[in-house]
């Protein structure tokens, strides 16, 4: 399945992908420099019944550059009929996300990092501005 990332790149310079299905319109930033997937805590609060809290924690560097210990959840998201499962660190990054939203008008709900891209065998094509899952 191929998904366009052209809207995000052309409008705000960021590769974005939206979920569909039950958790419709969850906006993820695709970040090939991120070692962990992130689900922001305000989104986690709304999805608690749809994700599985694991017993683990991650020590990750947040958007503001500070190391934080985060709980890990396992979640499955639907991208136009393609179900993708991975683990996500639940991170409070409200200030940074609010700044991005104020500058771009787009609210980001999480980050898909290299872990997600590898586990789900994603291919980023920057010539065609699309991601293949």
């Amino acid at each position: 399945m191929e998904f366009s990332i052209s809207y995000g790149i052309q409008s705000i310079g960021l590769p974005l992908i939206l979920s569909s299905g039950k958790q419709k319109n969850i906006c993820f930033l695709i970040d090939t420099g991120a070692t962990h997937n992130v689900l922001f805590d305000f989104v986690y609060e709304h999805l608690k019944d749809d994700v599985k809290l694991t017993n683990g924690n991650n020590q990750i560097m947040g958007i503001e550059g500070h190391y934080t210990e985060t709980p890990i959840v396992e979640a499955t998201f639907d991208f136009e009929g393609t179900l993708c499962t991975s683990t996500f660190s639940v991170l409070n990054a409200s200030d940074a996300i609010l700044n991005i939203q104020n500058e771009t008008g787009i609210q980001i709900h999480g980050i898909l990092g290299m872990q997600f891209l590898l586990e789900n065998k994603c291919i980023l094509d920057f010539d065609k501005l699309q991601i293949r899952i």
Side-chain angles (χ1 to χ4, degrees):
M1 182 68 72
E2 296 174 347
F3 305 95
S4 176
I5 56 174
S6 64
Y7 173 77
I9 290 178
Q10 292 171 351
S11 60
I12 62 172
L14 298 173
L16 303 173
I17 186 171
L18 292 176
S19 67
S20 55
K22 187 175 179 181
Q23 293 95 12
K24 187 175 182 180
N25 295 327
I26 303 292
C27 181
F28 288 101
L29 169 68
I30 299 168
D31 185 351
T32 60
T35 56
H36 296 85
N37 303 313
V38 173
L39 189 62
F40 296 121
D41 62 345
F42 69 93
V43 178
Y44 169 71
E45 291 300 321
H46 293 287
L47 299 179
K48 275 185 179 178
D49 295 336
D50 298 323
V51 300
K52 179 179 145 188
L53 186 63
T54 69
N55 292 328
N57 289 313
N58 274 335
Q59 185 82 359
I60 66 169
M61 182 184 296
I63 292 175
E64 292 91 0
H66 306 289
Y67 280 98
T68 306
E69 188 164 318
T70 64
I72 301 170
V73 297
E74 183 179 278
T76 300
F77 290 97
D78 184 339
F79 297 101
E80 296 182 25
T82 301
L83 298 178
C84 298
T85 302
S86 194
T87 56
F88 294 79
S89 296
V90 178
L91 179 67
N92 179 347
S94 300
D95 293 338
I97 295 307
L98 185 59
N99 286 337
I100 292 170
Q101 183 175 346
N102 289 339
E103 288 178 22
T104 66
I106 294 177
Q107 186 177 61
I108 296 174
H109 301 108
I111 297 171
L112 302 179
M114 286 304 297
Q115 175 189 358
F116 179 90
L117 298 172
L118 291 170
E119 287 174 349
N120 292 286
K121 297 175 177 51
C122 299
I123 298 171
L124 292 172
D125 186 335
F126 287 105
D127 288 330
K128 294 181 181 177
L129 295 180
Q130 58 186 211
I131 181 172
R132 277 179 270 153
I133 299 176

